[in-house]
Amino acid sequence: MRETIPLSVPSLTGNEWNYLKDCLDTGWVSSVGSYVDRFEQSVSEYVGTQFGVATVNGTAALHLSLLACGVQRGDEVLAPSFTFIAPINAIHYCGAEPVFIGSDPATFNLDPEKVRQFLTEECTREADVVLNRRTGRRVSAILPVHIFGHPVDMDPLNAIAAEFQLPVIEDASESLGSDYRERKTGGLAKVGCFSFNGNKIITCGGGGMVTTSDEALASHIRHLSTQANRRPFEYEHDEVGFNYRLTNIQAALGVAQLEQLDGFLEVKRRNACLYRELLAEIPQVELAWEEPWARSNFWLCALLVPPADRGPLMEYLLERQVQVRPAWKLMHTLSMYQHCQTYQLEETEAAYARCISIPSSVQLSEADIRYVVECIKAYFESS
Ligand SMILES: Cc1ncc(COP(=O)(O)O)c(C=O)c1O
């Protein structure tokens, strides 16, 4: 039987062993160590921000960023429904509620125009506060997510956020290496958040990072991530903090992985181009592609199919050892978030119904890609 072609698995062929061994040999295994410093410095330099604060995972990076940007209990945060759940849970951890704003049909990402309409038509401004007229709650931040690695159209989003004096927290967990108008995602707003989970373009096993050029914000986030211990020798904690620091072992993996990022990006682009070329022969499907102003890292390739074929095609591919997944269930349909306000989600629902994630790992061979496309072709020929 054919081996399963995985959806997205790590490639660990660089200095990972050497750097891990170094941690074990020197005893620097916990949350302080030179690899943590190196990883923070290299990721922030890569992204184009002045500071990086490593965290235990991407969800923690989001949680701390929201808190440090002033999101409080009872507030609302504008966010997409088409996303992995972590950013929405992070909003909830702050005691705030998401308001789900619809997608840009071209990218599936948060649509800046819908955000503008929501803020101008559904909200009022009193002094420095933006209030949602329907709920009476304060809107205190905007949280775009660069889904599948494709950048959100950030310039218009930042413009509307500036007009309403709202901080933007970029969830760049999936988009390390992606460019928006020749600037890296994660460096396009007040604060950026990354995940280095095992399925991401580079991994620490588990890990995350906050990137920002705001020194006060970086230092507050670092403080919160280490139990808010103002004077470590005296255990003087001055607010409720978290144990959210990345360990040196995880950072050692991250440093080794980051050294290979350019190569990973090249391979992922080549694979996406081959998928696209081969899929062009199947009229029923297309590969979600880049906007002219974007350069995606193609973290996860998304196949767009007729909604009626989505379930049967996934089953057909899984039976043939091709690991595929639907997009994440839309956030506003989950029991915890069903009560939250939604705004113009028609295109979001349409996108979800058409989307299948197909194998996208760096190790994917040309033969694997040809096999996946042959299976898709065979499905449509037989149906
Ligand atoms: C968009 C997005 N945000 C946040 C996260 C959370 O990251 P982590 O799993 O490292 O907590 C992930 C992935 O895991 C993600 O895909």
Side-chain angles (χ1 to χ4, degrees), residues 57-59 62 83-84 86-87 145 171 173-174 195-197 200 207:
N57 55 46
T59 311
L62 286 158
T83 172
F84 179 62
V145 183
D171 185 345
S173 295
E174 300 174 3
S195 163
F196 306 112
N197 180 23
K200 297 298 184 285

Side-chain angles (χ1 to χ4, degrees), residues 27-98:
W28 289 95
V29 294
S30 197
S31 58
V32 178
S34 63
Y35 287 105
V36 177
D37 300 338
R38 256 170 85 180
F39 193 46
E40 289 182 333
Q41 205 175 346
S42 339
V43 171
S44 55
E45 256 170 34
Y46 181 83
V47 165
T49 59
Q50 277 181 291
F51 308 100
V53 182
T55 55
V56 71
N57 55 46
T59 311
L62 286 158
H63 184 194
L64 295 185
S65 298
L66 287 159
L67 287 174
C69 284
V71 173
Q72 294 176 3
R73 184 162 297 282
D75 283 356
E76 290 179 343
V77 176
L78 309 189
S81 180
F82 195 130
T83 172
F84 179 62
I85 197 169
I88 307 307
N89 282 342
I91 294 169
H92 187 82
Y93 301 159
C94 300
E97 294 252 310

Side-chain angles (χ1 to χ4, degrees), residues 258-292:
L258 195 64
E259 290 169 352
Q260 301 163 78
L261 177 60
D262 287 345
F264 291 169
L265 287 167
E266 219 178 289
V267 173
K268 280 195 174 262
R269 172 162 293 274
R270 198 171 62 223
N271 288 349
C273 287
L274 181 58
Y275 263 135
R276 191 179 193 223
E277 184 192 318
L278 298 174
L279 288 165
E281 290 169 25
I282 311 173
Q284 295 91 336
V285 304
E286 63 176 308
L287 196 70
W289 202 246
E290 291 169 316
E291 287 300 282

